[in-house]
Amino acid sequence: MSQTPPPQILDGKGLSERIKDEIASEVTEWTGQGHRAPHLAAVLVGEDGASKTYVDHKVRSCERVGFKSTMVLRPADISQRELLDIVHGLNEDPNIDGFIVQLPLPNHIDAQAITEAIDPTKDVDGFHPVNIGNLALGLPGFVPATPAGIITLLERFEVPTEGRHAVVIGRSSIVGTPMSLLLSRSGQPGNCTVTLCHSRTQDLQEHCLQADILIAAVGRPEMIKADMVKEGAVVVDVGITRVKDVTAKRGYRLRGDVAYDEVAPKCSWITPVPGGVGPMTIVSLLRNTLLAAKAKAEA
Ligand code: GUN
């Protein structure tokens, strides 16, 4: 009787460390040529624990690769005007190569207006309409960090994508929509046939079962069960939700969108949570910041 081989782990944590080493070498070479170190700023509004952790990781990663970083912390009751002023200040600051405004923002802030106020040449999150438009057209620009990180993960682990059917669940402008563009575009990795599923999709299970590559980016813990996954599929879990657990040290556990224990035995490749997509998002942000610094110096 033939047995399914054990799944191979798309180890984003290990890979991200290797890529950070590569970026650190590039920074050393760059500064050795007389340039100043790349400089990323991160704006964090409010006290959301998960957002604070993400931004802390981003800032710490900057130090690790030899970037300069600046954290701009503001209370949740900041006005739209004040936040716009911060964005304009960072746009104008010649010492800042790129910056991000961590999402989500409080409800009284128009997040789209804030995103559109960011200078596209400093938009290292790749969320500005100019960068999303460039991505859609296959033109150079900043690619959103999470889908870019997933592409790097597939590339470095040599997961074949050409001609495969990729099913992306979730149509957010941060992950699902750019992910579908990247997987379908001409290139390696790429050249997939892509289905984009969302909250109005009928019979999600049927679509998921067609997937050679399944990307789950919904934010609903463990919604992808074993009976939704084809034998031998590649499964990428973008979800990372804090689920209350009084037995855990911090009072919560991190859960992905995929019920890992039951799904993993069916997969050829799978990302763990944590340690899969999350660390890759950060290296993509670092890479975008290095690109921004170089483009600025060469402009
Ligand atoms: N919130 C969740 N992911 C992201 C991200 O990649 N960038 C920003 N700015 N906010 C986020």
Side-chain angles (χ1 to χ4, degrees):
M1 204 171 73
S2 74
Q3 272 202 322
T4 314
Q8 303 181 84
I9 307 301
L10 291 164
D11 172 17
K13 191 168 185 322
L15 177 59
S16 73
E17 290 305 322
R18 293 194 291 281
I19 297 178
K20 280 186 213 167
D21 287 340
E22 294 167 14
I23 295 174
S25 302
E26 276 187 62
V27 172
T28 305
E29 194 184 330
W30 180 246
T31 52
Q33 291 164 1
H35 300 283
R36 63 161 175 74
H39 189 170
L40 173 75
V43 182
L44 176 62
V45 176
E47 298 289 331
D48 178 74
S51 290
K52 202 168 173 315
T53 304
Y54 297 146
V55 173
D56 278 345
H57 281 154
K58 290 171 185 178
V59 167
R60 253 186 284 137
S61 298
C62 283
E63 287 161 20
R64 157 88 162 74
V65 298
F67 289 5
K68 201 163 178 272
S69 65
T70 296
M71 181 103 102
V72 182
L73 299 172
R74 289 295 180 273
D77 63 357
I78 189 174
S79 71
Q80 173 96 7
R81 185 71 261 158
E82 286 170 304
L83 191 51
L84 278 172
D85 285 345
I86 290 170
V87 168
H88 292 143
L90 293 168
N91 283 343
E92 297 305 319
D93 187 339
N95 293 310
I96 300 287
D97 297 303
F99 66 98
I100 65 161
V101 179
Q102 186 67 22
L103 302 175
L105 288 166
N107 288 336
H108 68 278
I109 303 277
D110 177 352
Q112 188 57 32
I114 299 297
T115 300
E116 288 182 25
I118 298 173
D119 176 345
T121 67
K122 292 192 175 187
D123 169 40
V124 285
D125 257 333
F127 295 168
H128 191 282
V130 165
N131 283 314
I132 298 284
N134 284 333
L135 173 63
L137 293 170
L139 297 172
F142 295 118
V143 176
T146 298
I150 293 168
I151 290 292
T152 306
L153 204 53
L154 297 174
E155 183 182 20
R156 296 290 187 104
F157 282 96
E158 299 180 6
V159 176
T161 59
E162 175 140 340
R164 303 293 156 104
H165 184 185
V167 174
V168 179
I169 316 169
R171 59 179 158 186
S172 75
S173 47
I174 302 183
V175 184
T177 297
M179 189 76 250
S180 66
L181 291 168
L182 285 167
L183 286 167
S184 61
R185 78 180 181 183
S186 174
Q188 296 293 347
N191 290 329
C192 288
T193 303
V194 177
T195 300
L196 181 55
C197 296
H198 46 75
S199 54
R200 303 297 169 93
T201 294
Q202 291 183 9
D203 208 342
L204 180 66
Q205 181 183 23
E206 193 177 308
H207 288 291
C208 290
L209 282 168
Q210 307 292 320
D212 301 311
I213 299 170
L214 185 64
I215 314 272
V218 180
R220 206 177 321 143
E222 304 192 326
M223 65 169 286
I224 303 298
K225 308 289 188 201
D227 64 2
M228 300 169 80
V229 176
K230 182 162 86 172
E231 202 67 47
V234 177
V235 173
V236 175
D237 190 350
V238 183
I240 184 155
T241 307
R242 292 181 171 194
V243 175
K244 198 172 162 194
D245 182 345
V246 288
T247 68
K249 210 164 70 189
R250 294 194 177 89
Y252 64 85
R253 282 190 197 284
L254 297 174
R255 287 281 175 262
D257 288 352
V258 176
Y260 186 93
D261 290 346
E262 62 178 84
V263 169
K266 298 185 84 173
C267 298
S268 54
W269 292 92
I270 187 166
T271 57
V273 173
V277 172
M280 295 304 298
T281 298
I282 294 182
V283 291
S284 302
L285 179 67
L286 297 175
R287 169 111 359 251
N288 279 348
T289 305
L290 182 56
L291 287 173
K294 290 187 170 179
K296 196 152 158 287
E298 281 152 17

